[in-house]
Amino acid sequence: MTREIEFKSDITVNAIQSMGGDHMVVAAAKVSTCGNDALDFTDPERANENRGLINYLMKHRHGTPFEHAAMTFFVHAPIFVWREWHRHRIGFSYNEESGRYKTLDPIFYLPKYGRPMMKVEGWKPGRPKFLKCEDDDIHVSLEDNLRRSYKISYEMYERNLELGVDPGLARACLPVGIYSGCWVTCNPRSLMAFLSLRTHEPNATAVSYPLHEMELAARACEETLEVGYPLTYQAFNANGRVAP
Ligand SMILES: Cc1cc2nc3c(=O)[nH]c(=O)nc-3n(C[C@H](O)[C@H](O)[C@H](O)COP(=O)(O)OP(=O)(O)OC[C@H]3O[C@@H](n4cnc5c(N)ncnc54)[C@H](O)[C@@H]3O)c2cc1C
């Protein structure tokens, strides 16, 4: 059976749909003081005149008005990224391909040259910092180790499938570098909570040190927030990237 192994070095984030916008943040907040007249604020043209309100909501962490919108992504990422992403439970919906009902494709992750990976002097957990690898031999060895283990793992997976056993058991030999596809839907509030933890911004109120590949995915999602919800995005940055 032996299928050809494919290698990928990127995380593919396809923005599929985006519903709502800054105007819905305003409209949601305005019901508090305007009742039915809050409907007048659903006009996207009126968002800009209320940028101060959006900033106020962000600054004082009035978060619920940021929940009346949605973004959907289709993401192709290695399992080690999904292990981290799926920890975000609140305001996130997921549907992932199954290792029980389909044969997993032989697509595996290899880091690009230049991926920061060498521990800095005095490296410590909690603030893990890495430098780019200046030694080509290290990168070549890492890549070789990964390629070899991916190949043997996938061969064993195929052999397990040939035994006719439960595919959910046959996959036990596969490594976390294998890719998986997943739908992700979230709202601006939950996305900002995700971005605050999964991006590294030295000027953020709480500086996070995310996994490089996790940050690549988060940054791709961040673009959708920036484009679809520009006032919200500006307020998020202006207030230290603290999710409301
Ligand atoms: C740099 C970094 C390193 C990490 N290292 C580890 C690690 O070594 N081991 C590990 O296990 N995890 C680790 N994590 C994962 C982390 O502990 C969280 O699981 C993950 O960041 C999701 O955050 P969250 O719970 O705030 O998100 P969500 O689950 O989306 O929750 C969002 C918010 O809802 C509220 N909330 C959700 N559930 C509850 C609850 N049960 N009770 C009360 N309030 C709730 C909280 O305010 C929470 O912030 C790491 C995360 C980062 C960013």
Side-chain angles (χ1 to χ4, degrees):
M1 174 151 114
T2 308
R3 289 170 65 187
E4 192 72 27
I5 304 255
E6 276 178 55
F7 300 104
K8 260 182 88 169
S9 298
D10 55 355
I11 314 295
T12 316
V13 177
N14 291 300
I16 303 300
Q17 61 179 1
S18 175
M19 181 192 85
D22 292 324
H23 55 288
M24 284 307 300
V25 177
V26 174
K30 285 283 185 184
V31 73
S32 171
T33 51
C34 303
N36 280 353
D37 292 341
L39 281 167
D40 296 344
F41 295 93
T42 56
D43 176 0
E45 298 293 317
R46 297 199 63 185
N48 211 33
E49 72 195 58
N50 287 290
R51 61 167 56 230
L53 172 62
I54 292 176
N55 192 59
Y56 174 87
L57 296 169
M58 191 76 68
K59 184 174 179 184
H60 296 279
R61 305 197 63 211
H62 294 297
T64 48
F66 296 94
E67 295 174 9
H68 298 276
M71 287 158 267
T72 299
F73 305 97
F74 188 80
V75 183
H76 197 227
I79 297 281
F80 67 85
V81 169
W82 288 121
R83 278 188 64 168
E84 297 201 351
W85 201 326
H86 287 160
R87 298 296 301 278
H88 295 264
R89 300 158 289 178
I90 309 300
F92 274 89
S93 303
Y94 304 101
N95 281 96
E96 187 180 7
E97 69 179 271
S98 170
R100 295 185 65 203
Y101 309 135
K102 77 178 277 292
T103 300
L104 297 171
D105 297 319
I107 306 174
F108 292 91
Y109 181 74
L110 288 180
K112 281 186 184 153
Y113 274 89
R115 189 255 196 236
M117 60 172 75
M118 304 310 293
K119 288 178 172 178
V120 296
E121 224 171 279
W123 184 92
K124 53 183 171 195
R127 296 184 81 191
K129 294 182 188 170
F130 301 93
L131 300 171
K132 289 185 181 172
C133 179
E134 304 293 346
D135 182 345
D136 277 1
D137 289 348
I138 292 180
H139 193 101
V140 169
S141 295
L142 172 68
E143 200 173 301
D144 187 51
N145 293 342
L146 289 172
R147 281 177 190 272
R148 281 165 44 186
S149 76
Y150 291 158
K151 187 170 183 298
I152 187 77
S153 307
Y154 200 80
E155 273 173 27
M156 293 306 117
Y157 172 57
E158 288 184 312
R159 282 199 209 173
N160 288 345
L161 291 175
E162 280 165 7
L163 296 174
V165 301
D166 179 350
L169 176 63
R171 66 179 164 180
C173 57
L174 290 170
V176 292
I178 194 166
Y179 273 75
S180 182
C182 189
W183 288 102
V184 180
T185 296
C186 58
N187 62 58
R189 187 185 192 187
S190 58
L191 183 60
M192 287 186 280
F194 175 73
L195 294 177
S196 70
L197 290 167
R198 302 301 183 178
T199 58
H200 176 77
E201 282 289 345
N203 297 325
T205 299
V207 180
S208 191
Y209 294 84
L211 178 78
H212 177 78
E213 289 75 13
M214 188 71 250
E215 181 165 19
L216 291 180
R219 291 291 184 187
C221 296
E222 184 167 346
E223 282 175 27
T224 297
L225 185 73
E226 183 177 6
V227 172
Y229 313 82
L231 301 178
T232 296
Y233 184 66
Q234 280 166 28
F236 174 56
N237 282 307
N239 288 283
R241 293 172 73 90
V242 176

Short mmCIF file of all heavy atoms in Angstrom, two decimals, residues 9-10 19 28 33 37 40 57 63 66 103 105 114 118-119 122 125 136 151 175 182 184 191 198 214 228 237 241 244:
data_model
loop_
_atom_site.label_atom_id
_atom_site.label_comp_id
_atom_site.label_asym_id
_atom_site.label_seq_id
_atom_site.Cartn_x
_atom_site.Cartn_y
_atom_site.Cartn_z
N SER A 9 5.71 22.85 5.55
CA SER A 9 6.35 23.68 6.57
C SER A 9 5.47 24.85 6.98
O SER A 9 5.91 25.71 7.72
CB SER A 9 7.68 24.21 6.06
OG SER A 9 8.54 23.14 5.78
N ASP A 10 4.27 24.88 6.47
CA ASP A 10 3.42 26.00 6.85
C ASP A 10 2.14 25.49 7.52
O ASP A 10 1.83 24.30 7.48
CB ASP A 10 3.10 26.89 5.64
CG ASP A 10 2.49 26.11 4.50
OD1 ASP A 10 2.40 24.88 4.62
OD2 ASP A 10 2.08 26.73 3.51
N MET A 19 -18.84 37.04 10.05
CA MET A 19 -20.17 37.63 10.23
C MET A 19 -20.09 38.75 11.26
O MET A 19 -19.38 38.62 12.26
CB MET A 19 -21.13 36.55 10.73
CG MET A 19 -22.56 37.01 10.92
SD MET A 19 -23.49 35.77 11.85
CE MET A 19 -23.09 36.21 13.53
N ALA A 28 -24.75 46.00 20.28
CA ALA A 28 -24.95 45.14 21.44
C ALA A 28 -24.80 45.93 22.73
O ALA A 28 -25.58 45.75 23.69
CB ALA A 28 -23.93 44.00 21.42
N THR A 33 -28.55 51.12 27.14
CA THR A 33 -29.06 52.47 27.42
C THR A 33 -30.13 52.94 26.44
O THR A 33 -30.85 53.89 26.71
CB THR A 33 -27.89 53.48 27.38
OG1 THR A 33 -27.18 53.30 26.15
CG2 THR A 33 -26.94 53.28 28.56
N ASP A 37 -33.99 51.19 20.40
CA ASP A 37 -33.26 52.08 19.49
C ASP A 37 -31.85 51.55 19.18
O ASP A 37 -31.16 52.08 18.31
CB ASP A 37 -33.17 53.50 20.07
CG ASP A 37 -34.54 54.16 20.10
OD1 ASP A 37 -35.43 53.69 19.36
OD2 ASP A 37 -34.72 55.13 20.87
N ASP A 40 -30.83 50.95 15.59
CA ASP A 40 -30.28 51.99 14.70
C ASP A 40 -28.78 51.84 14.53
O ASP A 40 -28.20 52.33 13.56
CB ASP A 40 -30.55 53.40 15.28
CG ASP A 40 -32.03 53.70 15.36
OD1 ASP A 40 -32.80 52.97 14.69
OD2 ASP A 40 -32.41 54.63 16.11
N LEU A 57 -15.30 49.88 26.16
CA LEU A 57 -15.68 48.50 26.47
C LEU A 57 -14.44 47.62 26.62
O LEU A 57 -14.34 46.79 27.53
CB LEU A 57 -16.56 47.92 25.34
CG LEU A 57 -17.92 48.59 25.14
CD1 LEU A 57 -18.55 48.11 23.84
CD2 LEU A 57 -18.85 48.31 26.32
N GLY A 63 -16.89 42.50 28.10
CA GLY A 63 -16.58 41.62 26.97
C GLY A 63 -17.75 41.13 26.14
O GLY A 63 -17.58 40.84 24.95
N PHE A 66 -18.65 41.91 22.44
CA PHE A 66 -17.73 41.42 21.41
C PHE A 66 -18.05 39.97 21.00
O PHE A 66 -17.28 39.35 20.28
CB PHE A 66 -16.27 41.52 21.89
CG PHE A 66 -15.82 42.93 22.14
CD1 PHE A 66 -15.90 43.49 23.41
CD2 PHE A 66 -15.32 43.70 21.10
CE1 PHE A 66 -15.49 44.80 23.64
CE2 PHE A 66 -14.90 45.02 21.32
CZ PHE A 66 -14.99 45.57 22.60
N THR A 103 -8.66 7.20 6.61
CA THR A 103 -7.22 6.98 6.70
C THR A 103 -6.53 8.33 6.72
O THR A 103 -6.82 9.20 5.88
CB THR A 103 -6.74 6.16 5.48
OG1 THR A 103 -7.43 4.91 5.49
CG2 THR A 103 -5.24 5.93 5.51
N ASP A 105 -3.88 11.14 6.10
CA ASP A 105 -2.97 11.36 4.97
C ASP A 105 -1.52 11.48 5.45
O ASP A 105 -1.26 12.04 6.51
CB ASP A 105 -3.37 12.64 4.21
CG ASP A 105 -4.75 12.52 3.63
OD1 ASP A 105 -5.08 11.44 3.11
OD2 ASP A 105 -5.52 13.49 3.71
N GLY A 114 15.47 28.87 9.47
CA GLY A 114 15.19 30.19 10.05
C GLY A 114 14.17 30.14 11.17
O GLY A 114 13.97 31.13 11.86
N MET A 118 17.00 27.42 18.69
CA MET A 118 18.11 27.15 19.60
C MET A 118 17.88 27.87 20.92
O MET A 118 17.65 29.10 20.95
CB MET A 118 19.44 27.61 18.97
CG MET A 118 19.71 26.99 17.60
SD MET A 118 19.53 25.21 17.52
CE MET A 118 20.86 24.68 18.56
N LYS A 119 17.93 27.12 22.01
CA LYS A 119 17.68 27.71 23.32
C LYS A 119 18.67 28.83 23.62
O LYS A 119 19.87 28.65 23.39
CB LYS A 119 17.84 26.64 24.40
CG LYS A 119 16.71 25.62 24.44
CD LYS A 119 17.00 24.60 25.52
CE LYS A 119 15.84 23.67 25.73
NZ LYS A 119 16.14 22.65 26.74
N GLY A 122 20.66 30.60 29.47
CA GLY A 122 19.79 30.88 30.61
C GLY A 122 18.33 30.58 30.31
O GLY A 122 17.44 31.05 31.02
N PRO A 125 11.84 27.43 31.40
CA PRO A 125 10.43 27.22 31.08
C PRO A 125 9.63 28.42 31.58
O PRO A 125 10.01 29.06 32.55
CB PRO A 125 10.05 25.95 31.86
CG PRO A 125 11.29 25.44 32.48
CD PRO A 125 12.35 26.50 32.39
N ASP A 136 24.03 24.89 9.94
CA ASP A 136 23.23 24.10 8.99
C ASP A 136 23.16 22.63 9.37
O ASP A 136 22.16 21.96 9.13
CB ASP A 136 23.81 24.23 7.58
CG ASP A 136 23.32 25.51 6.92
OD1 ASP A 136 22.57 26.25 7.56
OD2 ASP A 136 23.72 25.75 5.76
N LYS A 151 8.57 8.49 8.29
CA LYS A 151 8.46 7.41 7.28
C LYS A 151 8.15 6.08 7.96
O LYS A 151 7.20 5.39 7.57
CB LYS A 151 9.77 7.34 6.49
CG LYS A 151 9.74 6.40 5.31
CD LYS A 151 10.99 6.59 4.45
CE LYS A 151 10.96 5.73 3.21
NZ LYS A 151 10.92 4.30 3.47
N PRO A 175 3.12 10.06 14.86
CA PRO A 175 3.66 11.15 15.68
C PRO A 175 2.83 12.44 15.58
O PRO A 175 2.00 12.59 14.67
CB PRO A 175 5.05 11.37 15.08
CG PRO A 175 4.90 10.98 13.65
CD PRO A 175 3.83 9.93 13.58
N CYS A 182 -9.13 20.87 10.30
CA CYS A 182 -10.15 21.16 11.33
C CYS A 182 -10.85 22.48 11.02
O CYS A 182 -10.22 23.45 10.59
CB CYS A 182 -9.44 21.26 12.69
SG CYS A 182 -10.52 21.35 14.13
N VAL A 184 -12.68 25.70 12.52
CA VAL A 184 -12.63 26.47 13.77
C VAL A 184 -13.56 27.67 13.61
O VAL A 184 -13.42 28.44 12.66
CB VAL A 184 -11.20 26.99 14.06
CG1 VAL A 184 -11.17 27.80 15.36
CG2 VAL A 184 -10.19 25.84 14.12
N LEU A 191 -11.53 35.13 20.12
CA LEU A 191 -10.29 35.22 19.32
C LEU A 191 -9.27 36.11 20.02
O LEU A 191 -8.07 35.80 20.04
CB LEU A 191 -10.60 35.75 17.91
CG LEU A 191 -9.38 35.79 16.99
CD1 LEU A 191 -8.77 34.41 16.79
CD2 LEU A 191 -9.74 36.38 15.63
N ARG A 198 -1.49 33.39 22.42
CA ARG A 198 -0.79 32.65 21.38
C ARG A 198 -0.01 33.53 20.41
O ARG A 198 0.36 33.09 19.33
CB ARG A 198 -1.80 31.78 20.60
CG ARG A 198 -2.55 30.79 21.48
CD ARG A 198 -1.65 29.84 22.22
NE ARG A 198 -2.42 28.85 23.00
CZ ARG A 198 -1.87 27.89 23.71
NH1 ARG A 198 -0.55 27.75 23.77
NH2 ARG A 198 -2.63 27.05 24.40
N MET A 214 2.26 27.64 16.62
CA MET A 214 0.96 28.09 17.15
C MET A 214 0.79 29.58 16.84
O MET A 214 -0.30 30.03 16.48
CB MET A 214 0.97 27.84 18.66
CG MET A 214 -0.34 28.06 19.36
SD MET A 214 -1.56 26.82 18.98
CE MET A 214 -2.71 27.75 18.00
N GLY A 228 -11.87 42.60 9.43
CA GLY A 228 -13.32 42.57 9.63
C GLY A 228 -13.81 43.43 10.78
O GLY A 228 -14.97 43.84 10.81
N ASN A 237 -5.31 46.40 20.62
CA ASN A 237 -3.88 46.75 20.67
C ASN A 237 -3.62 47.92 21.60
O ASN A 237 -2.62 47.93 22.34
CB ASN A 237 -3.36 47.03 19.26
CG ASN A 237 -3.13 45.74 18.50
OD1 ASN A 237 -2.44 44.84 18.96
ND2 ASN A 237 -3.74 45.62 17.33
N ARG A 241 -3.50 44.45 24.42
CA ARG A 241 -3.88 43.12 23.93
C ARG A 241 -4.42 42.23 25.07
O ARG A 241 -4.17 41.03 25.13
CB ARG A 241 -2.70 42.44 23.20
CG ARG A 241 -2.36 43.18 21.89
CD ARG A 241 -1.11 42.66 21.25
NE ARG A 241 -1.24 41.36 20.63
CZ ARG A 241 -1.60 41.13 19.37
NH1 ARG A 241 -1.92 42.15 18.58
NH2 ARG A 241 -1.65 39.91 18.89
N PRO A 244 -11.15 41.46 26.38
CA PRO A 244 -12.15 42.03 27.31
C PRO A 244 -12.94 40.94 28.02
O PRO A 244 -12.98 39.82 27.57
CB PRO A 244 -13.05 42.84 26.37
CG PRO A 244 -12.93 42.16 25.05
CD PRO A 244 -11.53 41.62 24.98
#
